[in-house]
Amino acid sequence: MSLMHIMILLPLIFAIIIPILYRFYKGIHLGWFVLPIPVIIFSYFMSYINVPDSDKPFIVIWNFMPRLGMNFSVHLDGLSLLFASLITGIGALVVLYSITYLSKNESLGNFYCYLLMFMGAMLGVVLSDNLLMLYLFWELTSISSFLLIAYWRHKQSSIYGAQKSLLITVFGGLMLLGGFICLSLAGNSWSITSLVQNAEEIQSSPYFIFAMVLILIGAMTKSAQFPFHIWLPDAMEAPTPVSAYLHSATMVKAGIYLVARTTPIFAASAGFVWAVTAIGLITLFWASFNAVKQQDLKGILAFSTVSQLGMIMSMLGIGAVSYHYSGEASQLFLASIVAAVFHLINHATFKGALFMITGTIDHEVGTRDIKKLGGLMTIMPISCTFTIITALSMAGVPPFNGFLSKEMFLTAMFDAHQADIFSLSTIGYLLPIVAIVGSIFTFVYSFKYVHEIFFGEYKAEALPKKPHEAPKLMLLPTGILTFLVVLFGLFPNILSESIIAPAVRAIAPFADAPDVHISHWHGLTPALMGTLIVFIVGFILFKSVEKWISIYNIQPEYLTFNYYYDRGIQLSSYISNKITQSYMTGFIRTYLIYIFGFFIIMTALTLFTHPVSVAFNNISDIRPYEVILMGLILVSTFCIVLAKSRLFSIIMLAAVGYSVALFFVFFGAPDLALTQLSIETISTALFLLCFYHLPKMNRHDENRKFKIGNFIISICVGIGVVSIGLIAYGNRHFDSISKYYVDNVYDLAAGKNMVNVILVDFRGFDTLFESAVLGIAGLGIYTLIKLRDKDKDGGEEHEETIK
């Protein structure tokens, strides 16, 4: 295990330690113990930023499960370094922000445990070179994000949002697993690096199209692309630090990372180029259009995030065209990937700051409803300044960083029609139109966000709290991100060779070295004209928003994706309940009928479809006392079936067990006999104890049809077991393992009790997991008892309150 493996696992390790610390240091905010973790990891990854060598990847392999091909291979190149830096850098600022945002009265142990779990999972996603390990971490991000979104579990909306995100992203995860399997079959490897090197072979494989479609579905669900975007707005019920971390800089960009990482493999396909580009632009337009009508600040930012992710996705789609060209033509489309990487960074800065500002407003004012807000500019001047800068960056207004990447985005859309492949030379003329329309609505909601909070009428009577400026510690991380917005806007090329170029080379290793030079002025270009249209039309629509906002009422509710999601959940729940109720009768005998019926059918099919032979050679002689024991077992069994008394049934059941133990004695297995006698004694005592406390209930009605059915099933099961035993005896293809145990039980395990040695040494893992199952069952029973006691206490308190 290398140091880089440790850095990935460090958050997961501390996710276990932090809840324990919380029990002993409740006087200190737990965030101070968590903060050093992302800072240390961020500093470690920053040490790899070296201009001459940053584009040279290196792989460190830890043979985790080599037989399955599941090696924990860490692959660090420009792309993974960029994402690792965002994950830990933004993560450190979010932890710092949460120290003020979350009260010490909250369940901080749970919160930071989930947050660190998510951080480690995201690092695993972006640094894993093995598809199976990537999938493992991918699903861990879904689970940890579910726990974070449902952190305020007393709110029904939080539970709903968490469930929605989990269902959609896990569905995408299953599609992703199928895509990874197809990709592995096509490339005969689980290594991403190896698959990229064998891209041409994969592209000629019949699994290629299946791998591409399934992987894209997985990426689209995680990055909230149309039509899977519906989970992200509801996920805003999470605490603001969660929204700032998961939904601006990390989790929602996992799909972006996956598309970028697999671009060298799928870029040859026209389907990949058009799917990524078209879905990205549709997402950009639809989400920005719907962001304008939102009345909740987080709702605006949620749809804004979806829109910006669509924008990045579309740029990756156009950038994939560079795969088909070389020289200057390749550089023309490679500029789209440069824009995507640059906007990826810019979006993390201004959107992370805006989420923190939203949390600040909610924390200090008590509401996020824009109908109640307004006129806070003089009351919260620092927050207002941060908001104006970051919102203008999101709107694409110079001189901030968002303007630069937005200009590069429009340039890429205008240049798309210059490609003479995939019908881009004709249909490509539509791309800048959609991009400009989506950018216009981005301009509108950005200005609306600022105006509704800080300008207009101050409504003191509508506010739950008396507003005031946020504490310095809460403003600090927001200020850092705002400073980066300005810095990257004024001096964008400080990232060119250190961050952007290595990431672009990782996404497009087939292309020439990218020419990364970002500037504010490119002359009178179509992109500049598009920007002027965005500013002019966007400002007009912003000033007249009250006059046209009613168009959102045209769309009926039953034509929304949320409507069909909710109806689908209700319908699936109804159908599953009906199906379950049809066979879950509550009677164990019914479930045994299902099990034995399946056993009878499968045994009969096997016997009739596969020729078998039964041999009676070398069968031991049956001795008189064995016949007596067998008769005793049969008589005891019949007594159990016919008994009317529970006590008599238990005694007869014990007689069967003790008779079997005597068989072991006669067959020369005293250790096994001793074990059987011990188990039977304990079981009999437990049965007597349990049945004593069970209620006295009448026996169920047993009609003739019921008895005949049970009799037939019993006879068939008996015949099936005897047949399997005889067939197994007559078809021995290997030597019995018993001799190995006899010969080695003392020499290898240094034990005299053969049964104990087999259970503890030779089959130690079986015993370990069986013990783990018993332990988990015991914990479950203990928890149920504690919950029952808690509910009982709560009920008594409730009764006292009523009195």
Side-chain angles (χ1 to χ4, degrees), residues 749-763:
K752 297 181 178 179
N753 188 314
M754 184 178 297
V755 175
N756 292 347
V757 169
I758 292 173
L759 292 176
V760 176
D761 292 284
F762 292 112
R763 295 180 56 191

Side-chain angles (χ1 to χ4, degrees), residues 703-715:
N703 52 36
R704 185 179 299 275
K705 183 178 178 181
F706 176 84
K707 292 181 178 180
I708 292 175
N710 284 358
F711 177 76
I712 293 173
I713 291 174
S714 302
I715 293 297

Side-chain angles (χ1 to χ4, degrees), residues 272-318:
F272 178 81
V273 173
W274 272 113
V276 176
T277 304
I279 292 175
L281 286 176
I282 292 171
T283 304
L284 165 66
F285 163 73
W286 186 247
S288 61
F289 175 72
N290 281 278
V292 179
K293 72 174 182 179
Q294 302 302 314
Q295 301 298 314
D296 182 88
L297 294 180
K298 269 195 175 183
I300 296 175
L301 295 183
F303 279 96
S304 167
T305 299
V306 174
S307 174
Q308 299 291 312
L309 292 171
M311 177 178 170
I312 299 171
M313 197 72 78
S314 65
M315 287 187 278
L316 289 175
I318 295 299

Side-chain angles (χ1 to χ4, degrees), residues 412-490:
M413 295 301 111
F414 275 108
D415 290 342
H417 74 278
Q418 298 188 38
D420 56 1
I421 58 173
F422 305 152
S423 301
L424 284 168
S425 58
T426 54
I427 306 177
Y429 282 99
L430 296 176
L431 302 184
I433 298 175
V434 179
I436 289 173
V437 174
S439 299
I440 288 172
F441 287 106
T442 300
F443 186 93
V444 174
Y445 69 67
S446 299
F447 273 67
K448 178 184 177 182
Y449 181 89
V450 178
H451 181 269
E452 297 296 339
I453 301 174
F454 298 104
F455 298 92
E457 180 186 356
Y458 174 58
K459 308 163 189 174
E461 69 285 350
L463 301 178
K465 297 180 181 179
K466 183 179 179 181
H468 55 84
E469 187 56 271
K472 294 179 181 179
L473 192 60
M474 183 176 283
L475 292 172
L476 178 59
T478 312
I480 293 174
L481 290 173
T482 306
F483 170 74
L484 294 177
V485 168
V486 178
L487 179 66
F488 296 158
L490 298 177

Side-chain angles (χ1 to χ4, degrees), residues 297-566:
L297 294 180
K298 269 195 175 183
I300 296 175
L301 295 183
F303 279 96
S304 167
T305 299
V306 174
S307 174
Q308 299 291 312
L309 292 171
M311 177 178 170
I312 299 171
M313 197 72 78
S314 65
M315 287 187 278
L316 289 175
I318 295 299
V321 178
S322 62
Y323 177 89
H324 301 271
Y325 293 92
S326 60
E328 293 184 3
S330 178
Q331 290 294 325
L332 179 68
F333 300 106
L334 197 63
S336 183
I337 298 180
V338 175
V341 172
F342 187 40
H343 194 70
L344 188 76
I345 300 169
N346 295 340
H347 179 258
T349 55
F350 65 69
K351 188 57 63 64
L354 286 169
F355 268 114
M356 291 181 183
I357 291 166
T358 298
T360 300
I361 299 297
D362 190 18
H363 192 271
E364 307 305 331
V365 179
T367 182
R368 301 193 307 260
D369 190 347
I370 61 175
K371 294 180 179 179
K372 300 178 181 180
L373 296 169
L376 298 178
M377 180 177 65
T378 57
I379 302 174
M380 306 177 71
I382 301 177
S383 297
C384 178
T385 303
F386 292 163
T387 305
I388 292 174
I389 293 173
T390 51
L392 289 178
S393 178
M394 181 168 63
V397 176
F400 308 113
N401 59 356
F403 164 75
L404 296 171
S405 50
K406 187 263 302 175
E407 285 288 288
M408 298 168 71
F409 162 64
L410 292 178
T411 300
M413 295 301 111
F414 275 108
D415 290 342
H417 74 278
Q418 298 188 38
D420 56 1
I421 58 173
F422 305 152
S423 301
L424 284 168
S425 58
T426 54
I427 306 177
Y429 282 99
L430 296 176
L431 302 184
I433 298 175
V434 179
I436 289 173
V437 174
S439 299
I440 288 172
F441 287 106
T442 300
F443 186 93
V444 174
Y445 69 67
S446 299
F447 273 67
K448 178 184 177 182
Y449 181 89
V450 178
H451 181 269
E452 297 296 339
I453 301 174
F454 298 104
F455 298 92
E457 180 186 356
Y458 174 58
K459 308 163 189 174
E461 69 285 350
L463 301 178
K465 297 180 181 179
K466 183 179 179 181
H468 55 84
E469 187 56 271
K472 294 179 181 179
L473 192 60
M474 183 176 283
L475 292 172
L476 178 59
T478 312
I480 293 174
L481 290 173
T482 306
F483 170 74
L484 294 177
V485 168
V486 178
L487 179 66
F488 296 158
L490 298 177
F491 309 101
N493 288 301
I494 61 176
L495 300 174
S496 295
E497 295 301 324
S498 59
I499 295 291
I500 298 176
V504 174
R505 284 193 283 268
I507 298 172
F510 45 77
D512 297 333
D515 181 18
V516 183
H517 181 75
I518 305 169
S519 60
H520 285 82
W521 177 252
H522 298 89
L524 297 176
T525 61
L528 180 61
M529 298 299 106
T531 298
L532 293 177
I533 294 173
V534 170
F535 289 172
I536 296 170
V537 177
F539 187 75
I540 294 172
L541 290 178
F542 165 69
K543 296 300 291 185
S544 60
V545 67
E546 297 298 332
K547 297 180 180 179
W548 58 270
I549 196 72
S550 58
I551 66 171
Y552 290 101
N553 298 328
I554 298 175
Q555 182 186 14
E557 183 185 0
Y558 64 84
L559 290 181
T560 61
F561 289 105
N562 280 312
Y563 175 85
Y564 288 104
Y565 168 82
D566 292 335

Side-chain angles (χ1 to χ4, degrees), residues 736-749 751 754 762:
S736 174
I737 198 173
S738 59
K739 188 174 187 305
Y740 172 82
Y741 290 143
V742 173
D743 295 340
N744 295 283
V745 67
Y746 184 79
D747 294 335
L748 295 182
M754 184 178 297
F762 292 112

Side-chain angles (χ1 to χ4, degrees), residues 154-269:
H154 59 277
K155 297 167 60 177
Q156 187 60 37
S157 55
S158 296
I159 301 299
Y160 174 80
Q163 182 191 54
K164 194 173 188 178
S165 68
L166 185 69
L167 288 176
I168 294 176
T169 55
V170 167
F171 161 76
L174 291 174
M175 298 298 104
L176 184 68
L177 178 60
F180 282 170
I181 293 173
C182 291
L183 194 59
S184 174
L185 292 173
N188 195 30
S189 175
W190 291 107
S191 170
I192 298 174
T193 304
S194 176
L195 293 171
V196 171
Q197 293 172 353
N198 298 323
E200 292 185 3
E201 177 186 342
I202 295 172
Q203 290 157 11
S204 61
S205 170
Y207 296 106
F208 175 76
I209 187 66
F210 296 103
M212 183 184 73
V213 171
L214 293 174
I215 288 175
L216 282 180
I217 291 175
M220 298 300 176
T221 54
K222 188 72 81 171
S223 285
Q225 297 297 286
F226 184 92
F228 304 110
H229 64 283
I230 58 175
W231 68 266
L232 188 58
D234 290 292
M236 292 299 131
E237 291 299 329
T240 298
V242 175
S243 301
Y245 191 40
L246 273 67
H247 307 136
S248 69
T250 51
M251 176 182 172
V252 290
K253 289 190 172 71
I256 301 288
Y257 168 81
L258 188 63
V259 170
R261 180 60 78 192
T262 55
T263 292
I265 301 173
F266 299 128
S269 170

